[in-house]
């Protein structure tokens, strides 16, 4: 991962748009490789509304990955909620969206991530919410210390692979 010079919260002009850029640059290469290897019709959408079937709740998500099963049928695969303020704020919105996403899909386990750009958390929902421990994705010397990143931080790649592989018989190993 080549992310030297990425913007951080310490920068005076740091904005939520910076977080969205970090998220897009992080997930797009993994999503693209996964799509190619599985030939699934995954689509990444930014600012997508997920509404429950009864329209009781809804919300705009920063990033949503959808799988187009047929021309008339779509399945939500993954959501990512990015916030500048706090992971707690992102988590609240992600929980609501995961519930709506699972309702729209009919059941099963759904996956989401919350992030402030450098810190990520994976959440799954199968009727109960489960949250993985924090993943620190970026660090100051990561360009010089690729080995450390691969050993300690690449868990995000594995977590994204689990989320994308949900419902696939032979998930591809993404490295």
């Amino acid at each position: 991962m080549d992310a030297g010079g990425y913007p951080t919260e310490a920068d005076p002009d740091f904005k939520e748009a910076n977080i969205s850029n970090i998220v897009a640059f992080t997930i797009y290469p993994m999503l693209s490789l996964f799509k190619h290897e599985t030939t699934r019709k995954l689509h990444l959408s930014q600012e997508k509304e997920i509404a429950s079937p009864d329209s009781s709740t809804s919300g705009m998500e920063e990033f949503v990955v959808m799988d187009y099963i047929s021309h008339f049928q779509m399945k939500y695969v993954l959501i990512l909620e990015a916030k500048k303020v706090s992971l707690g704020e992102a988590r609240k919105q992600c929980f609501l969206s995961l519930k709506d996403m699972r309702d729209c899909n009919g059941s099963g386990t759904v996956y989401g991530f919350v992030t402030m750009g450098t810190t990520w958390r994976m959440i799954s929902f199968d009727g109960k919410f489960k949250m993985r421990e924090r993943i620190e994705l970026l660090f100051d010397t990561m360009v010089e210390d690729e080995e450390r990143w691969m050993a300690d931080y690449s868990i995000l790649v594995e977590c994204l692979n689990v989320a994308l592989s949900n419902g696939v018989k032979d998930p591809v190993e993404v490295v």
Side-chain angles (χ1 to χ4, degrees):
M1 184 158 191
D2 187 9
Y6 62 90
T8 68
E9 307 82 45
D11 296 334
D13 59 346
F14 186 71
K15 300 176 180 85
E16 201 157 307
N18 296 119
I19 297 170
S20 292
N21 289 341
I22 291 171
V23 170
F25 289 131
T26 300
I27 65 171
Y28 187 76
M30 291 180 260
L31 179 61
S32 181
L33 178 62
F34 189 89
K35 262 176 74 166
H36 175 74
E37 295 290 326
T38 63
T39 65
R40 285 180 61 197
K41 295 176 182 163
L42 299 178
H43 174 74
L44 177 64
S45 180
Q46 192 170 4
E47 294 297 325
K48 172 82 174 142
E49 183 177 28
I50 300 177
S52 66
D54 64 3
S55 299
S56 61
T57 59
S58 71
M60 295 299 286
E61 285 307 309
E62 263 66 39
F63 293 91
V64 177
V65 177
M66 296 163 291
D67 190 0
Y68 289 99
I69 298 165
S70 70
H71 184 66
F72 300 104
Q73 188 181 11
M74 157 184 91
K75 178 180 178 187
Y76 293 102
V77 177
L78 171 71
I79 60 168
L80 290 115
E81 180 62 39
K83 287 284 185 213
K84 177 182 172 189
V85 182
S86 75
L87 284 177
E89 282 298 310
R91 187 177 60 227
K92 289 177 198 173
Q93 189 168 343
C94 188
F95 280 3
L96 288 172
S97 294
L98 284 172
K99 184 194 176 311
D100 289 346
M101 186 167 118
R102 184 170 185 263
D103 291 348
C104 289
N105 284 354
S107 69
T109 303
V110 292
Y111 297 90
F113 287 86
V114 292
T115 183
M116 291 175 65
T118 57
T119 303
W120 292 59
R121 286 192 93 152
M122 181 178 180
I123 303 169
S124 63
F125 180 64
D126 62 1
K128 292 184 180 181
F129 292 103
K130 296 177 188 123
M131 217 169 11
R132 194 188 183 291
E133 64 185 50
R134 290 180 191 198
I135 302 166
E136 296 296 331
L137 180 64
L138 304 173
F139 57 93
D140 294 336
T141 59
M142 66 185 288
V143 172
E144 297 86 32
D145 201 351
E146 182 179 338
E147 208 171 291
R148 176 178 162 211
W149 190 89
M150 290 301 291
D152 298 339
Y153 299 88
S154 65
I155 188 70
L156 180 65
V157 175
E158 293 174 38
C159 289
L160 277 166
N161 191 43
V162 165
L164 295 173
S165 298
N166 189 26
V168 177
K169 288 184 182 178
D170 295 310
V172 64
E173 184 177 342
V174 179
V175 242

